[in-house]
């Protein structure tokens, strides 16, 4: 389809046009793509922000390069850095943010089709986003298995090992146990692969808190139809945003942009109430 003569969906590339569109009958299926930037205000560092990002703080774990902490071959040789990070990131210690409550509010308004997240912190489900609407593209700490024989490992036993900074070993073969988090080079979960085609149904794509540097997740942003406006809520410009006539960049801290957007939508009281309950 030729983009040039597509009628512009949005009146302008600004927050009030986005709000106006979201309340129109044309906006039925909102797709979201999340990255670590939506959890930084919960106290969980992102990966690539200079100074504060995890990758600039892992140096103390003397890794050959920061990403090694999520590389299976490095883990096989030395699982200590990952287990150290897992201890710091382990779900349960962090409260979801007001941005996570916004995602739940979209679901309660019947607008959320699917929330694709790269995050392993489970804050989306902890905020009350319906589980069937969440796709954890990079897995999560929910389950774990042996990297050698794939035997699953008991959930509570794993939780105890991580909290006590002990390396869990397979009861069958003695191999190292790793949570079902997608490491670099590993396949993404089946549930992600099956959900990707649904992006065609998006009437609005909202991308929040991600550098869009990791594939195949980042490519989701290219899969929405030309007629689907794409909204970036991020500290800085990323990916191909700006290349389409209906791309809107709402730059800033996601919690602040979300508050402004909900004010425009007249949803600020509901948003605050949801967040207060979290
Ligand atoms: N508000 C808005 N944007 C923010 C905020 C915030 N409060 N904090 C950080 N950001 C932005 C950063 O500017 C950056 O553009 O969020 C983005 C975070 O990017 P990354 O740190 O690269 O995190 P992410 O995109 O989720 O990384 C993707 O890389 O290491 C792998 O598997 C890991 O899922 C992760 C993937």
């Amino acid at each position: 389809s030729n983009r040039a003569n597509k009628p512009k969906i949005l009146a302008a590339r600004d927050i009030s046009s986005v709000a106006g569109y979201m309340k129109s009958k044309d906006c039925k299926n909102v797709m979201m793509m999340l990255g670590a930037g939506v959890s930084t205000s919960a106290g969980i560092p992102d990966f690539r922000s200079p100074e504060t990002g995890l990758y600039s703080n892992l140096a103390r774990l003397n890794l050959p390069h920061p990403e090694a902490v999520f590389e299976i071959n490095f883990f096989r040789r030395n699982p200590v850095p990952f287990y150290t990070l897992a201890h710091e990131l382990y779900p349960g210690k962090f409260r979801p943010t007001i941005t996570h409550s916004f995602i739940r509010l979209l679901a309660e308004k019947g607008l959320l089709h699917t929330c694709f997240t790269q995050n392993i912190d489970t804050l989306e489900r902890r905020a009350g986003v319906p589980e069937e609407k969440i796709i954890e593209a990079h897995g999560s700490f929910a389950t774990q298995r042996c990297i050698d024989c794939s035997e699953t490992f008991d959930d509570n036993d794993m939780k105890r090992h991580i909290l006590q900074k002990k390396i869990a070993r397979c009861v069958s073969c003695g191999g190292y146990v790793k949570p079902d988090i997608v490491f670099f080079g590993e396949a993404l979960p089946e549930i992600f692969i099956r959900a990707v085609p649904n992006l065609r149904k998006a009437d609005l794509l909202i991308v929040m808190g991600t550098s869009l540097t990791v594939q195949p997740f980042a490519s989701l942003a290219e899969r929405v139809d030309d007629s689907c406006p794409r909204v970036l809520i991020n500290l800085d410009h990323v990916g191909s945003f700006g290349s389409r006539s209906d791309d809107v960049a709402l730059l800033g801290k996601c919690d602040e942009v979300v508050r402004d957007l909900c004010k425009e939508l007249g949803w600020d009281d509901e948003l605050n109430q949801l967040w207060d309950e979290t």
Side-chain angles (χ1 to χ4, degrees):
S1 60
N2 178 340
R3 274 183 204 153
N5 58 14
K6 273 254 176 240
K8 278 179 62 63
I9 303 263
L10 298 176
R13 290 182 168 198
D14 60 20
I15 198 164
S16 52
S17 304
V18 171
Y21 174 65
M22 286 175 70
K23 301 195 79 145
S24 77
K25 60 174 179 27
D26 297 332
C27 184
K28 294 183 286 293
N29 293 316
V30 177
M31 296 282 185
M32 305 193 86
M33 290 171 61
L34 309 184
V38 306
S39 300
T40 50
S41 69
I44 303 173
D46 69 9
F47 294 95
R48 294 173 181 84
S49 280
E51 318 286 309
T52 55
L54 269 178
Y55 287 154
S56 47
N57 288 294
L58 289 175
R60 72 186 186 290
L61 295 172
N62 51 60
L63 296 160
H65 48 271
E67 287 85 350
V69 72
F70 291 123
E71 284 170 3
I72 193 69
N73 295 331
F74 181 86
F75 180 85
R76 199 178 289 283
R77 287 199 310 277
N78 176 7
V80 172
F82 173 78
Y83 268 78
T84 307
L85 188 63
H87 178 77
E88 284 173 25
L89 291 180
Y90 207 69
K93 294 195 283 194
F94 304 99
R95 176 190 180 197
T97 70
I98 196 156
T99 293
H100 292 99
S101 295
F102 170 62
I103 302 165
R104 175 178 171 183
L105 186 52
L106 278 176
E108 296 195 351
K109 296 282 182 183
L111 283 173
L112 179 67
H113 183 285
T114 305
C115 173
F116 290 86
T117 185
Q118 299 171 91
N119 300 341
I120 57 177
D121 54 37
T122 70
L123 292 189
E124 301 87 2
R125 62 174 78 182
R126 302 249 324 279
V129 180
E131 297 214 359
E132 69 276 8
K133 290 189 175 292
I134 302 169
I135 299 283
E136 291 165 331
H138 292 168
S140 84
F141 284 100
T143 53
Q144 51 286 321
R145 70 200 66 246
C146 172
I147 60 169
D148 292 333
C149 74
S150 301
E151 171 100 0
T152 55
F153 191 83
D154 175 75
D155 293 354
N156 290 324
D157 215 352
M158 184 60 169
K159 185 169 183 163
R160 210 177 12 263
H161 275 80
I162 289 188
L163 294 181
Q164 291 169 7
K165 294 194 182 179
K166 281 167 39 190
I167 311 290
R169 303 195 71 128
C170 177
V171 289
S172 305
C173 78
Y176 291 138
V177 173
K178 175 181 94 51
D180 290 334
I181 287 167
V182 179
F183 273 30
F184 287 110
E186 287 186 316
L188 271 67
E190 250 317 291
I191 192 167
F192 172 84
I193 309 291
R194 279 201 307 273
V196 169
N198 291 335
L199 279 150
R200 263 199 316 273
K201 301 177 190 161
D203 303 312
L204 176 64
L205 174 70
I206 301 179
V207 179
M208 293 203 276
T210 177
S211 60
L212 288 184
T213 42
V214 171
Q215 297 297 355
F217 188 89
S219 64
L220 295 182
E222 310 309 322
R223 289 176 171 269
V224 296
D225 196 75
D226 293 350
S227 63
C228 169
R230 304 188 308 174
V231 178
L232 173 69
I233 299 178
N234 206 61
L235 282 178
D236 41 27
H237 267 285
V238 293
S240 67
F241 271 83
S243 64
R244 296 189 183 192
S245 62
D246 276 325
D247 282 350
V248 183
L250 304 177
L251 300 185
K253 291 185 188 306
C254 51
D255 290 353
E256 289 168 14
V257 174
V258 157
R259 282 186 191 281
D260 292 345
L261 182 56
C262 285
K263 219 174 257 105
E264 289 283 334
L265 287 161
W267 297 354
D268 33 347
D269 292 344
E270 291 168 274
L271 177 71
N272 287 321
Q273 194 178 337
L274 281 184
W275 192 42
D276 290 346
E277 290 165 14
T278 307

